[in-house]
């Protein structure tokens, strides 16, 4: 990994730390409850990371705005406490400079458009605080965009949703289309004047899950210069796990539990007496990466593992130290060093650099 600038599109460590409560673990020493710490980031060859400043969909209005600001403060605090390992970055040149100096370039992406509380003023403040992308929805629809995992409400983006995308383009904030419905994907791609990211999604042709991206959307995204960053979440990358997950969702519905609430999902799954969960593995992720390259082209693929944002991970990709295994597997399948460099981060940096010019 030494000559690859690995920029991962999505890591939920800031929210995982919040959920742990109590004294914050020492990331320099590591904590087995987490997928991410400084030694494992180094072992994984991570040079730059988009840290998710995530807000659950159950947080609305002022509570959501407060939460996203608290998460931004948490990321800034991590960088301040570990200045020899982490360096805040606000753009592509920053990220390359910080990485060249031996630190992990730390960028931020806000997950869940509800965190702006229907205010483009809040959106502008987030950008001023260093947030470089906004995931338009999380698991629930918001007032202006449909989510992939909720019942359709708007048919994609509302007129205000289109205004949000246009303002993001003006501000140099990247539009992230992970989590959104296919209708929202199409609407945003039609409106956006800048390349978009899918920061943590797979290929729907490989695993039929609504969180994954259809081939026609991948083609449109590529024509606009965007990048789809392959995720590692088992129910998105493995058809076997996705089938079992549909059974879990049905059982939750029968029990009156909302499957879109990640905390409720994890609690329910822990006590559910359904069939044992199959295991996804590294080869499932390889299949997605290769299909994304086939459907969108080598200039339009990246990596967004979603570490610390999922309870389970594929065999062979248990934590952030595991990226070299994925790149070794792709090299064994004939990927050139130049292609691996594009996948690792060059493609995502290109999208970030395009936004920097706004």
């Amino acid at each position: 990994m030494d000559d690859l600038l690995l920029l991962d599109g999505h890591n939920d460590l800031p929210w995982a730390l919040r959920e742990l409560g109590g004294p914050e673990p020492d990331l320099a020493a590591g904590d087995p409850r987490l997928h991410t710490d400084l030694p494992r980031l180094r072992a994984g060859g991570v040079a730059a990371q988009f840290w998710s400043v995530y807000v659950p969909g159950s947080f609305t209005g002022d509570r959501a705005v407060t939460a996203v600001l608290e998460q931004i403060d948490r990321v800034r605090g991590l960088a301040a406490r570990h200045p020899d390992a982490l360096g805040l970055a606000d753009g592509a040149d920053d990220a390359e400079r910080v990485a060249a100096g031996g630190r992990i370039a730390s960028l931020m992406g806000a997950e869940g458009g509800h965190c702006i509380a229907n205010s483009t003023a809040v959106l502008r403040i987030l950008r001023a605080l260093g947030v470089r992308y906004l995931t338009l929805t999380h698991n629930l629809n918001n007032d202006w965009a449909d989510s992939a995992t909720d019942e359709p409400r708007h048919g994609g983006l509302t007129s205000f949703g289109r205004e949000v995308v246009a303002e993001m383009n003006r501000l140099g904030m990247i539009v992230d289309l992970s989590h959104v419905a296919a209708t929202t994907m199409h609407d945003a791609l039609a409106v956006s004047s800048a390349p978009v990211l899918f920061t943590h999604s797979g290929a729907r042709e490989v695993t039929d899950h609504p969180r994954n991206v259809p081939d026609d959307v991948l083609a449109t995204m590529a024509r606009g210069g965007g990048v789809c960053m392959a995720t590692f979440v088992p129910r998105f990358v493995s058809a076997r796990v996705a089938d079992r997950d549909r059974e879990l969702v049905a059982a939750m519905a029968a029990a009156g539990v909302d499957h879109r609430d990640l905390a409720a999902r994890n609690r329910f799954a822990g006590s559910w007496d359904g069939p044992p969960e199959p295991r996804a593995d590294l080869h499932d992720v390889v299949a997605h990466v290769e299909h994304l390259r086939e459907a969108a082209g080598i200039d339009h693929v990246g990596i967004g593992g979603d570490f610390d944002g999922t309870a389970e991970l594929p065999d062979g990709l248990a934590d952030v130290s595991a990226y070299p295994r994925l790149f070794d597997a792709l090299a064994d399948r004939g990927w050139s060093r130049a292609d691996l460099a594009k996948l690792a981060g060059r493609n995502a940096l290109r999208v970030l650099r395009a936004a920097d010019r706004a």
Side-chain angles (χ1 to χ4, degrees), residues 110-355:
E111 185 175 26
H114 59 288
C115 74
I116 69 169
N118 300 333
S119 168
T120 53
V122 173
L123 182 73
R124 289 187 285 274
I125 293 297
L126 295 185
R127 177 64 196 95
L129 291 173
V131 174
R132 291 313 312 261
Y133 71 67
L134 176 70
T135 316
L136 300 189
T137 73
H138 191 243
N139 286 343
L140 301 174
N141 301 333
N142 56 42
D143 289 338
W144 45 271
D146 281 342
S147 167
T149 48
D150 203 348
E151 292 300 317
R153 177 177 163 197
H154 309 297
L157 286 175
T158 68
S159 58
F160 179 71
R162 292 177 172 84
E163 181 183 336
V164 169
V165 170
E167 184 66 354
M168 290 174 69
N169 291 162
R170 189 186 72 79
L171 294 171
M173 186 180 285
I174 300 167
V175 176
D176 175 20
L177 297 181
S178 287
H179 278 288
V180 307
T183 50
T184 307
M185 297 175 192
H186 284 292
D187 284 354
L189 286 165
V191 172
S192 182
S193 60
V196 306
L197 291 175
F198 289 84
T199 62
H200 56 306
S201 292
R204 196 172 299 187
E205 184 70 19
V206 179
T207 305
D208 186 13
H209 192 287
R211 272 285 280 104
N212 289 335
V213 189
D215 276 5
D216 63 331
V217 173
L218 289 171
T220 304
M221 174 208 74
R223 287 194 293 272
V227 171
C228 183
M229 308 180 83
T231 190
F232 301 166
V233 178
R235 66 181 181 274
F236 305 157
V237 303
S238 164
R240 302 178 307 280
V241 180
D243 288 343
R244 192 261 192 184
D245 189 63
R246 281 186 274 272
E247 295 184 48
L248 172 66
V249 167
M252 292 180 70
V257 182
D258 188 348
H259 72 93
R260 301 164 303 180
D261 182 327
L262 294 183
R265 172 192 282 270
N266 291 337
R267 287 193 299 270
F268 188 92
S271 61
W272 184 44
D273 61 357
E277 184 170 6
R279 297 292 303 173
D281 61 30
L282 181 150
H283 300 292
D284 293 312
V285 175
V286 167
H288 279 264
V289 172
E290 295 216 297
H291 185 82
L292 292 173
R293 180 177 68 167
E294 178 183 342
I298 186 56
D299 294 321
H300 307 286
V301 293
I303 299 294
D306 205 2
F307 285 113
D308 283 304
T310 179
E312 302 294 333
L313 284 158
D315 292 337
L317 294 170
D319 58 44
V320 295
S321 70
Y323 294 101
R325 297 192 188 101
L326 174 60
F327 283 81
D328 284 347
L330 293 168
D332 288 345
R333 295 176 67 88
W335 283 55
S336 70
R337 294 301 292 173
D339 286 355
L340 290 174
K342 289 182 177 184
L343 172 73
R346 292 299 168 193
N347 290 338
L349 282 171
R350 186 192 68 247
V351 172
L352 181 58
R353 187 162 277 113

